[in-house]
Amino acid sequence: MILTIDVGNTNITVGVFENEKLIANFRITTKIPRTSDEYGMMLSEMLENNDISHNQISDAIIASVVPNVMHSLESALIKYFHIEPIVVEAGIKTGIRIVTPNPQQIGADRIVDAVAAYEIYGGPCIVIDFGTATTYDLVDGSGAFVGGVTAPGIRISAKALWEDAAKLPEIEIKKPDHVLGKETISSMQSGLVYGQIGQTEYLIKRIKEEAKEENIKVVATGGLGRIISQETDFIDIYDANLTLEGIYRIYKKQNRK
């Protein structure tokens, strides 16, 4: 079994693949500092809760956008699983070409999403990840990562509202029944959700205009992506496990014994 780990700014998402299939996945909060022993124990316990022994894990791969987590996490895998993990970074085989001026500046999360979207759904495609930031990336028909857009995620926007505006409360992020809110909470929810839908549709339209390619698929992922994808015809596919699938596909390209 192969352990795939996506270290995001908010959560660490862990997947277990066996015979090409994702058989288990779970999340750990990223922002709490942890030692290698804590990571080792948490990973072992969560695997056990999914009826998987840590002895069944034969290898691991990590894609991370949080550098200060890596030392403890890698040490945990070495100490508890006796595995030195592969890390998705510059120079690793991915299967896509990055044709931006500074390829090393492209985050590992965007690379793995692009790999999965292109290999599973084909190109050209626009890949949207509704995470801590909302990212929009274009992969052309030849499998080249052309470029992208980075915008504040829905949670970041919501946090800015209730932290920087004294009278605005912390709210649940969900789609209200109407665009025009009748009170503070529904008006905030409307601005956050319908505002994100509007941004998404506009950016997809502009990216397609600049791409000048036919039949561009739009593939979305990320925690709040399901809400947005259900409310617009501009998104063709929502795949909750896109990032883990991309990490696993990159793992297979390494030909590690």
Side-chain angles (χ1 to χ4, degrees):
M1 296 182 185
I2 308 302
L3 205 62
T4 57
I5 304 176
D6 168 35
V7 182
N9 290 295
T10 304
N11 293 308
I12 298 172
T13 306
V14 181
V16 180
F17 282 81
E18 183 179 31
N19 299 325
E20 311 287 320
K21 292 184 178 181
L22 180 65
I23 62 169
N25 66 87
F26 50 86
R27 292 187 174 194
I28 302 169
T29 304
T30 304
K31 293 186 177 180
I32 301 171
R34 293 187 175 95
T35 66
S36 59
D37 291 317
E38 288 173 315
Y39 277 124
M41 290 299 294
M42 290 182 73
L43 288 170
S44 297
E45 289 173 5
M46 289 183 173
L47 288 169
E48 292 287 349
N49 288 338
N50 285 276
D51 299 319
I52 300 169
S53 167
H54 74 278
N55 293 322
Q56 293 176 275
I57 303 299
S58 59
D59 213 343
I61 179 168
I62 305 172
S64 173
V65 295
V66 188
N68 61 9
V69 167
M70 292 300 290
H71 177 73
S72 292
L73 186 56
E74 289 184 73
S75 297
L77 291 169
I78 293 169
K79 182 176 181 179
Y80 284 81
F81 294 83
H82 309 294
I83 292 168
E84 188 163 339
I86 296 169
V87 178
V88 179
E89 56 190 356
I92 195 171
K93 295 178 183 177
T94 64
I96 62 169
R97 295 178 295 111
I98 300 174
V99 295
T100 60
N102 296 298
Q104 294 183 355
Q105 292 183 358
I106 306 301
D109 54 340
R110 301 174 86 149
I111 293 170
V112 298
D113 283 347
V115 168
Y118 182 75
E119 293 194 1
I120 297 171
Y121 303 108
C125 58
I126 297 169
V127 191
I128 309 174
D129 192 337
F130 294 94
T132 305
T134 301
T135 57
Y136 306 76
D137 295 315
L138 175 66
V139 182
D140 69 15
S142 70
F145 183 103
V146 177
V149 177
T150 305
I154 304 176
R155 294 189 193 281
I156 288 178
S157 299
K159 188 177 180 183
L161 278 177
W162 60 64
E163 286 190 356
D164 294 340
K167 290 189 175 183
L168 295 182
E170 186 170 344
I171 62 169
E172 178 187 1
I173 299 173
K174 67 176 186 178
K175 182 180 76 70
D177 294 332
H178 305 284
V179 172
L180 290 174
K182 302 300 183 182
E183 32 64 42
T184 300
I185 292 176
S186 62
S187 70
M188 290 173 66
Q189 290 172 332
S190 179
L192 290 167
V193 176
Y194 289 114
Q196 181 69 70
I197 294 167
Q199 178 197 94
T200 299
E201 293 182 347
Y202 178 79
L203 286 173
I204 290 171
K205 180 182 176 182
R206 287 298 305 271
I207 292 169
K208 284 185 174 181
E209 288 173 358
E210 289 191 18
K212 297 177 181 177
E213 292 202 53
E214 299 294 327
N215 301 317
I216 299 177
K217 296 183 184 69
V218 180
V219 183
T221 191
L224 291 169
R226 190 182 302 277
I227 296 174
I228 306 304
S229 63
Q230 289 173 345
E231 299 300 324
T232 176
D233 294 331
F234 282 58
I235 295 173
D236 300 307
I237 300 152
Y238 175 76
D239 186 338
N241 297 317
L242 189 74
T243 304
L244 293 177
E245 289 284 353
I247 296 172
Y248 179 68
R249 286 167 183 270
I250 290 175
Y251 171 81
K252 292 198 297 180
K253 291 176 172 59
Q254 309 315 305
N255 298 317
R256 202 146 91 151
K257 301 296 183 183

